[in-house]
Amino acid sequence: MKLSLMGVINLIHETEEMGTLTANRCLATVPFGGRYRLIDFALSSMVNSGIPKVAIFAHTKYRSLIDHLGSGGNWDLHRKQSGLFVLPPAMESQSDFGKGDLYHFYRHRDYFARSPLEYVVIARSHMVCNIDFGRVLAHHRERNADITVVCKRWPNAETGLTRKAELDADGRVVDMQDHYGRLASDIVSMEMYVLRKELLLDLVETSLAQGKDHFVRHAILSRLQELHVSAYLHEGVLGVVNSIPAFYRHNMELLKPEVWNELFFSPGPIYTKVKDEPPTRYRSGSQVSGSLVANGCEIEGSVQGSILFRGVKIRKGAVVRNSIVMQNGVIGEDGALENCILDKEVEIRPQQQLKGSSHMPFLALKRNVI
Amino acid sequence: MKQRSECIAMLLAGGEGRRLGVLTKDLAKPAVHFGGKYRIIDFTLSNCVNSGIDTVGVLTQYQPLVLNQYLGIGSPWGLDRRDGGMHVLPPYVRQKGGVWYKGTANAIYQNMGFIERYDPEYVLIISGDHIYKMDYDLLLESHKRNRADATLAVITVPWADASRFGILSVDEEDRVVEFAEKPKQPKSNLASMGVYIFSWPVLRDALMRDEAQSGSSNDFGKDVIPTLLREGARLYAHRFGGYWKDVGTIDSLWEANMDLLADEPALDLNDRAWRIYSVNPNRPAHYLSPQASVQNSLINEGCVVQGQVNRSVLFHGVRIGEGSMIEDAVIMPHAVIGRNVRIVRAIVGEGAIVGDGCTIGAIDAEEIAVVGSGDHIEAEPKLEEANPV
């Protein structure tokens, strides 16, 4: 059945501490998991749930975003009816750029108003998960909630920056605080909100009229008494990827077969931009184990506990351990990496050795030659 | 306004691939898997696009379901174009009834209406049965330079194999003086690759006359080209020096896959200037477990390898269980190999399941072992298990 649900992936003022990984790209297009960008997870989940129309509210550094998404065809969103809308900020003047997301929602209100779809799901790009929004909407209707927020019971949430929520016995949100708050709870918000389109437009206008422009803080958290905000608890795998340690940790989690299996296949596949790389070539003498390897790589050296993105070259004698090497990286002969994250197109010269710690991996800038 | 195309391609994709046996059960030969990721037809379609040809008619006939689904509207090759693009052309019924494509030339004859919609100067005839990377634009250039009526792409083959091909004799300017289809006593070792460029008026006229000829088998190699040659048409050879392989048999399909594992493969799949496009299966990066070992192999997306893989090609979504050993083998998409399996010198078909403890093929076997697509193989029960006390 067609879901009467439209999607928004909100990239306005994303909270992140990603260092140079977001120097020239937005959080949504940070590479992840060997061949994906962070946004692929929310976007694929929406498509697999049967959501026919998705808008990406872009904000800053969105060249890589537009390059990645193209016409949306790779997510099957290149359609005559509905499909993908990439909406950059539509401000009246430059000074409006820094205003909160509600202001930008308001400027994009035609996107909502023009559609006959009844409900909206607003998500962020950095929640790595595979989720059926149809079930979230069913929960929302069952509970007769005003707003449903997707949460997860997650005792070991220390690496990412997350809002924490306190629920009552019925699963209603009674308190929620930003990541620097003191609320002691093992329920984290996955920053996915389902609500009626009319309610959203009403919240946008009343909040802005009161001089408030922050969607979560002003439209939701300050109304926890008057609105019924229900929590839907997600059972599946989750990665909150908005800091470097979290990025590293959640990539490494993919080396567990059960995580790999669930995140990439269930309930649906994760789509990304197709690159037409050939299969990966392992040469004689290669020693690769406990690793995730994308297509188009050429491997002569040794790789353990690592993630290689598309088109990576590991030369003879090179040793890569517990590291993440992004697209087209080259590790020269007898080079050695341990606990490193190499951004795209980094070249490690022969014999060069680099080592980070497992808590704070060494991070190399895009296109650096080291 | 109708756009005129200088050169359009007609791709013969009706091949049955009978000698590929259980691998072409529900499949036309051009749809047979190759190289860990591709189907055979990807090479000719990619060649077209990379050569700047944007209008391609694909003539299908035998087992078209998988092929049609694979081709779609040509988007994976960038052939979903407003003008031109890729068109699948099966035989169809006309007012006077319809017939199957009787031969290669008849297939083109039946689609003359399609060609004329584009009003081309030249028509490229290719087939979806061969693995090669070729710039058809160079072929077109030499065709124009020679003011030829038809130009045949040729490749030098070993003399011992020459009697398996259409063999050409040429003069010092590479003008064709003789053409013999599978000659017993070959006079040359220049073999036709089944890649032709015709000036369209010449081809049009030749096809109509060939069709009127009773007793013709309506085949380019057997009928159309020999007739043109006899009539003194300007036929030229265009020499091709790269890798070219007909993968029509189990042996040659296996060999062509193994060719990719050479230190410097003659067919470079990683050439970014000449990409081979295909329908991408959208699978995650493949996973090698802590116990896995992989040497000299090609592995595609979505595989999970927990055993040992040597000198083998693994297509997408293949699973290799713990303790298993895969050597000199080609494992087609989504095949599942259990634990403690030994596979040597073999091709395992798409979606086949090989149960724990099976042995397939042998290192000294003369023939390549084959597990058919979708087959399910279990190990022979051991004696003590078969006779419980």
Side-chain angles (χ1 to χ4, degrees), chain A residues 35-36 255 260 264-265 270-271 274 276-283 285-286 289-293 295 328, chain B residues 35 37-38 261-263 272 275 277 280 282-289 294-301 304:
Chain A
R35 61 194 288 273
Y36 302 93
L255 299 178
W260 184 89
F264 292 126
F265 295 100
I270 304 299
Y271 309 103
V274 158
D276 287 290
E277 293 280 356
T280 278
R281 175 73 204 272
Y282 292 86
R283 292 189 176 272
S286 70
S289 61
S291 294
L292 207 53
V293 183
N295 268 2
N328 297 331
Chain B
K37 169 165 188 175
Y38 310 96
L261 302 178
D263 277 346
R272 295 199 172 183
R275 261 205 213 277
Y277 301 101
N280 281 259
N282 237 316
R283 300 270 148 176
H286 63 256
Y287 173 69
L288 306 189
S289 80
V294 179
Q295 300 277 317
N296 202 6
S297 294
L298 278 175
I299 301 188
N300 197 12
E301 289 165 347
V304 176

Side-chain angles (χ1 to χ4, degrees), chain B residues 6 17-18 57 62 165 251 256 280 336 360:
Chain B
E6 187 191 26
R18 217 173 294 126
Y62 171 81
F165 296 94
D251 280 357
N280 281 259
V336 178
I360 290 165

Side-chain angles (χ1 to χ4, degrees), chain B residues 34-105:
Chain B
F34 172 78
K37 169 165 188 175
Y38 310 96
R39 294 185 190 257
I40 298 173
I41 198 170
D42 289 331
F43 288 83
T44 30
L45 285 174
S46 301
N47 285 343
C48 285
V49 173
N50 290 331
S51 305
I53 293 174
D54 60 12
T55 306
V56 184
V58 180
L59 298 104
T60 60
Q61 172 149 291
Y62 171 81
Q63 291 285 16
L65 291 185
V66 173
L67 189 60
N68 283 351
Q69 190 190 13
Y70 188 73
L71 294 172
I73 56 166
S75 331
W77 305 273
L79 284 170
D80 51 337
R81 301 286 295 264
R82 193 193 57 187
D83 296 318
M86 192 205 73
H87 298 266
V88 175
L89 304 170
Y92 61 96
V93 175
R94 298 166 175 76
Q95 275 167 333
K96 291 177 186 166
V99 283
W100 292 109
Y101 294 149
K102 290 180 281 181
T104 50

